[in-house]
Amino acid sequence: MRIGLIAMSGIRVCDAELLRLGLTLPGFVERSKTIASLPSLGLLTLAGMTPDEHDIRYIEMPEFTRSTSIPQDLELAAISSYSAQIGEAYALARTYRELGVPVVMGGPHVTALPEEAAGSADAVVIGEGEACWTEVLADCAAGRLRRFYGSRESPFDLARAPMPAFELLDPSQYNRITVQTSRGCPHQCEFCGSSVMLTGKYKQKPVEKVLAEIDRILTIWDHPFLEFADDNTFVDRQYWKELLRALPERRVRWFAETDLSVGMDGELLDLMRQSGCAQVLIGLESPTAERLRGLELRSDWKRRQWPHYREAIRRIQDHGIAVNGCFVLGLDGDDAGVFDRVFSFAEETELYEVQVTILTAFPGTPLYARLKREGRIVEDGRWDKCTLFDVNFRPARMSPEELAEGFKKLVVKLYDDEFTNWRRSAFRRRLRAQGKGKETIHHENQAGDPGAVSGGGGL
Ligand code: B12
């Protein structure tokens, strides 16, 4: 079969003023450019396990309207999308069906709402695609696609993970490549819409498989920048120490999303730095201890870490690894004072990078279920608002408008050129003071400018 693997790969913000600001604020623009060039690892992974008899094409679809030209000669359209672009993904699916091309859809959004997706697609894959992809292909070839495949309850064993087909990418179009080492996260935050949506079980890919993926990437890109696309990298420190010891000889630079506990392990931080870590994104969530209470479903781990926030950030940055501190605005205890508190925290801790997002109720999350019960979802079904920058719920101690306005003002202050440069030079100054200036680090591990913006990421 001729299969089109179609990634809905746009970056979305509905709020027109925020969009306008995003286009002018340098800090915002730089980061958008960096992250917008990530390929769909989900589809590349499925491509990697597609039998050779099929002809596969990887297609990026940053936007779709009725006038967008699309490849017509497909025998199966396999579409991947997150919530924000799902409306366009459904419209694309319906267009293909009108052309007589069968459509299969997958991803966290359709996993949460399979019936909704089945209104536009022939088949919907729930959960991890690897578990049923070959069955979908066989059924499609035989003309007997079922409406639903897979489930969240039948997890895929990552020891059987296929090699993603990185060779489908045009190397000149991608400045960073994703590698996944794990799925799920022990913290179980109420709002999380990441791979915890696909599988309830935390699991890791064997180290040798991860290294094999990096080696494959190195056959295509000379100096790749890797983004570990885990919900929470470094949960298993022994696993990571083993992996990191094998990285320096591969001379890659990399970025990961994690929690604050890395800051407490000096050996891990040394290994991270020596192996090319440029930046870590850390879900700090709130500058206020009390806001962290009840954030996680199982324990109050982040609340208990709060007294160590400042020290951990300092220790990580003192290792030459930039911290991208991530805050969620609009948590139930947040009032209009939260915006100044986030700004002051960033200033006080000299965070190299700051990411602020608005609390977002993604369908399928415990947060969505609770807010729905409490009658606090605004315009239910407006999935295009699931951007992390638009307000799709009624905050407890502010109006939706106050949250949106306060957020925009904070964004302007945080990404202001002067403040951004001040934070970055503070980071470099501290490193120089310790004799770990740019040249030293560059010489040590070819990692280049520590924490440079191209090393950033997130979302
Ligand atoms: C890389 C990334 C991106 C890349 C995406 C590249 C791409 N086209 O996939 C870019 C930068 C473009 C991006 C954009 C956005 N992102 Co993003 N992104 C990520 C990130 C960091 C990693 C995702 C990843 O690679 N996962 C690993 C792969 C293997 O998993 P997967 O894609 O889910 O695929 C598996 C299954 O879902 C399934 N599957 C998926 N697709 C299909 C299709 C078929 C046919 C089948 C059978 C199976 C299948 O099988 C796969 C293998 O098991 C995550 C955060 C994280 N740490 O996970 C956020 C994340 C996915 N992004 C998020 C968001 C909000 C956005 C944006 C809205 C941001 C914005 N304001 O623009 C946009 C959304 C655009 C859209 N299409 O809707 C949210 C999504 C939440 C949700 N449930 O919708 C996440 C979870 C981050 C968060 N903080 O909440 N993102």
Side-chain angles (χ1 to χ4, degrees):
M1 286 188 296
R2 278 186 306 280
I3 306 169
L5 297 172
I6 307 175
M8 305 306 290
S9 57
I11 295 291
R12 291 288 178 275
V13 183
C14 295
D15 187 312
E17 198 189 336
L18 198 59
L19 193 65
R20 188 184 56 76
L21 284 173
L23 295 174
T24 52
L25 289 168
F28 227 69
V29 175
E30 282 166 17
R31 216 179 33 247
S32 309
K33 279 192 194 142
T34 309
I35 61 166
S37 63
L38 288 170
S40 165
L41 185 59
L43 289 178
L44 294 178
T45 304
L46 299 183
M49 66 188 295
T50 302
D52 288 344
E53 74 217 50
H54 300 292
D55 171 20
I56 33 183
R57 212 183 309 169
Y58 174 77
I59 302 154
E60 297 261 358
M61 192 74 63
E63 62 181 342
F64 175 75
T65 63
R66 280 274 166 186
S67 56
T68 306
S69 77
I70 52 171
Q72 310 253 330
D73 57 340
L74 303 179
E75 288 162 292
L76 175 64
I79 305 176
S80 177
S81 180
Y82 300 117
S83 295
Q85 228 178 328
I86 203 71
E88 287 167 62
Y90 291 156
L92 176 64
R94 290 192 296 270
T95 305
Y96 269 120
R97 290 183 75 190
E98 282 162 20
L99 291 169
V101 178
V103 174
V104 53
M105 296 186 79
H109 183 92
V110 307
T111 293
L113 299 173
E115 289 289 344
E116 175 192 277
S120 301
D122 295 281
V124 179
V125 169
I126 300 165
E128 298 163 284
E130 297 93 332
C132 52
W133 180 236
T134 46
E135 192 189 350
V136 169
L137 293 178
D139 285 359
C140 184
R144 49 155 203 252
L145 272 179
R146 294 200 311 268
R147 283 181 86 207
F148 301 110
Y149 290 84
S151 86
R152 274 190 91 246
E153 282 69 46
S154 47
F156 177 71
D157 180 0
L158 288 178
R160 291 172 41 227
M163 170 69 72
F166 297 112
E167 67 279 5
L168 290 179
L169 302 175
D170 170 355
S172 66
Q173 296 302 305
Y174 297 89
N175 62 10
R176 60 167 59 196
I177 308 298
T178 36
V179 173
Q180 197 180 39
T181 75
S182 63
R183 287 185 187 159
C185 168
H187 294 320
Q188 306 273 318
C189 294
E190 188 192 30
F191 52 71
C192 184
S194 268
S195 71
V196 70
M197 305 273 293
L198 305 171
T199 166
K201 195 170 172 283
Y202 175 77
K203 55 192 173 182
Q204 288 173 303
K205 201 179 275 180
V207 169
E208 59 281 7
K209 282 213 164 236
V210 175
L211 290 173
E213 287 185 27
I214 296 172
D215 288 339
R216 179 65 65 87
I217 291 169
L218 282 162
T219 64
I220 304 173
W221 287 269
D222 287 338
H223 302 290
F225 191 101
L226 305 179
E227 173 157 340
F228 288 109
D230 304 318
D231 291 11
N232 187 352
T233 305
F234 313 120
V235 167
D236 179 343
R237 306 250 184 92
Q238 286 321 313
Y239 170 99
W240 269 93
K241 285 177 185 174
E242 187 187 338
L243 181 51
L244 293 181
R245 286 195 181 98
L247 277 194
E249 66 196 71
R250 290 172 166 83
R251 298 158 78 101
V252 290
R253 291 186 75 209
W254 55 274
F255 163 90
E257 308 191 5
T258 185
D259 64 47
L260 203 79
S261 60
V262 285
M264 302 305 167
D265 188 333
E267 187 191 7
L268 182 70
L269 288 173
D270 285 339
L271 288 168
M272 284 163 67
R273 187 61 202 140
Q274 285 153 16
S275 60
C277 180
Q279 188 177 111
V280 284
L281 180 144
I282 297 188
L284 301 170
E285 325 302 7
S286 174
T288 309
E290 274 320 291
R291 295 300 96 79
L292 298 170
R293 203 181 288 287
L295 208 82
E296 300 140 43
L297 302 178
R298 288 203 184 138
S299 75
D300 268 333
W301 186 86
K302 287 186 181 169
R303 166 68 189 84
R304 289 199 305 279
Q305 296 307 306
W306 187 86
H308 313 298
Y309 268 23
R310 287 163 174 78
E311 185 202 341
I313 292 167
R314 189 184 47 72
R315 288 191 62 184
I316 300 168
Q317 298 210 137
D318 282 354
H319 275 76
I321 299 167
V323 173
N324 185 341
C326 221
F327 297 93
V328 178
L329 291 129
L331 295 170
D332 267 3
D334 280 346
D335 56 23
V338 66
F339 309 108
D340 285 345
R341 285 193 290 273
V342 168
F343 185 83
S344 304
F345 186 93
E347 188 173 34
E348 188 197 322
T349 52
E350 299 177 352
L351 279 170
Y352 184 92
E353 189 74 84
V354 192
Q355 178 173 294
V356 285
T357 55
I358 286 181
L359 180 69
T360 302
F362 290 106
T365 57
L367 174 71
Y368 179 85
R370 178 170 68 82
L371 294 180
K372 177 112 177 148
R373 260 193 329 270
E374 295 172 1
R376 291 169 59 195
I377 297 288
V378 179
E379 296 180 273
D380 201 6
R382 280 285 309 270
W383 308 131
D384 59 323
K385 286 199 156 188
C386 289
T387 62
L388 299 166
F389 298 121
D390 292 285
V391 183
N392 74 344
F393 75 106
R394 238 178 292 286
R397 301 180 64 189
M398 281 182 267
S399 67
E401 294 73 27
E402 269 177 301
L403 176 56
E405 289 311 308
F407 184 79
K408 275 179 265 192
K409 286 191 184 123
L410 176 62
V411 159
V412 171
K413 279 170 70 182
L414 281 175
Y415 299 118
D416 163 73
D417 250 356
E418 206 179 315
F419 186 52
T420 304
N421 291 338
W422 176 82
R423 282 184 282 112
R424 291 179 185 172
S425 47
F427 172 80
R428 294 195 193 96
R429 208 173 39 246
R430 282 185 68 94
L431 286 185
R432 273 198 302 275
Q434 300 172 57
K436 289 188 192 164
K438 183 176 166 180
E439 286 69 29
T440 330
I441 288 169
H442 187 82
H443 178 73
E444 275 170 9
N445 61 8
Q446 282 73 41
D449 188 7
V453 167
S454 61
L459 283 189

